[in-house]
Amino acid sequence: MVQNYTADSFDPAAFPMYASCNEYTDATMRHLGTLLGFQFTATDGIESSLKQLIVMSIDGNTLSGTFNLEKDENGGFTGDFAGAEGATTATLDFPEGGLALSEVPVTAWISVPAGEYPKGFTALVVDTEEKAMMLNFMTKEDSADNLNAGTAVLFETVPFNPGEGIFIIDEPEDLIRLSSEPTAHSEVLLVKDLKLHTVSEQFGS
């Protein structure tokens, strides 16, 4: 699932809750995710419009997909859950045509599963010209490893300063584009798992 940018808020469909009850009497609602807030401004002299924000788990934790809730011996939910099938990335799409940056900070909220992330995250910020900036955050040195459910973490404002020559692969068609211009990019980033049979179909093999 791709999350959608919502001004001054978050995509409600990407911040699920679950309910558990004891013998059909008292029901309790709990959150499953944590919100991460990124604040961006324009860099002096550079006009940019954001297209996409991709958050990657360095630990390999599943950030999007299907999750299984764990139960106790009485059949009630414990609050623990594990990724059953999915990707180690969470993606936030900005509005069509991009979100223009200025000197006023723009906050982008993205939801990730609550849990422990001892190695932290890498965030890839992409503009409408396919230029990107990478950020590392939530490391052991500057923050707690554990992200609690139902909480929000707001990071300091960062001027968007994209690098040159970064090629992003998130669709099979991108491999074809890369093969036609292999020396034009200084760095290649694979941000989504691609199925081999889908890739072979794109290359006609």
Side-chain angles (χ1 to χ4, degrees), residues 4 8 15 35 37 46 66 104 108 113 116 118 123 135 140 148 162 171 173 185 188 197 204:
N4 294 304
D8 301 321
F15 202 52
L35 290 173
I46 301 178
T66 303
V104 179
E116 295 182 359
L135 303 168
K140 288 183 178 180
N148 296 318
E171 298 294 342
E173 294 84 353
H185 309 284
V188 178
H197 69 83

Side-chain angles (χ1 to χ4, degrees), residues 77-194:
F77 294 125
T78 65
D80 296 326
F81 58 94
E85 182 181 357
T88 58
T89 60
T91 302
L92 177 73
D93 279 351
F94 291 96
E96 185 175 356
L99 179 67
L101 294 178
S102 68
E103 61 183 15
V104 179
V106 167
T107 303
W109 291 99
I110 189 167
S111 173
V112 298
E116 295 182 359
Y117 299 89
K119 293 183 181 178
F121 301 89
T122 295
L124 181 68
V125 194
V126 187
D127 68 9
T128 53
E129 296 182 0
E130 300 296 334
K131 294 181 180 180
M133 178 179 72
M134 294 189 69
L135 303 168
N136 290 323
F137 62 98
M138 294 298 292
T139 62
K140 288 183 178 180
E141 289 75 20
D142 58 22
S143 183
D145 297 341
N146 192 64
L147 296 178
N148 296 318
T151 62
V153 178
L154 182 62
F155 298 101
E156 294 184 2
T157 302
V158 177
F160 179 68
N161 189 11
E164 296 287 347
I166 299 178
F167 188 87
I168 302 165
I169 298 176
D170 63 359
E171 298 294 342
E173 294 84 353
D174 296 329
L175 291 171
I176 299 176
R177 290 172 50 208
L178 178 64
S179 66
S180 66
E181 46 186 30
T183 61
H185 309 284
S186 60
E187 188 172 358
V188 178
L189 297 174
L190 177 64
V191 298
K192 186 171 72 174
D193 297 333
L194 301 180

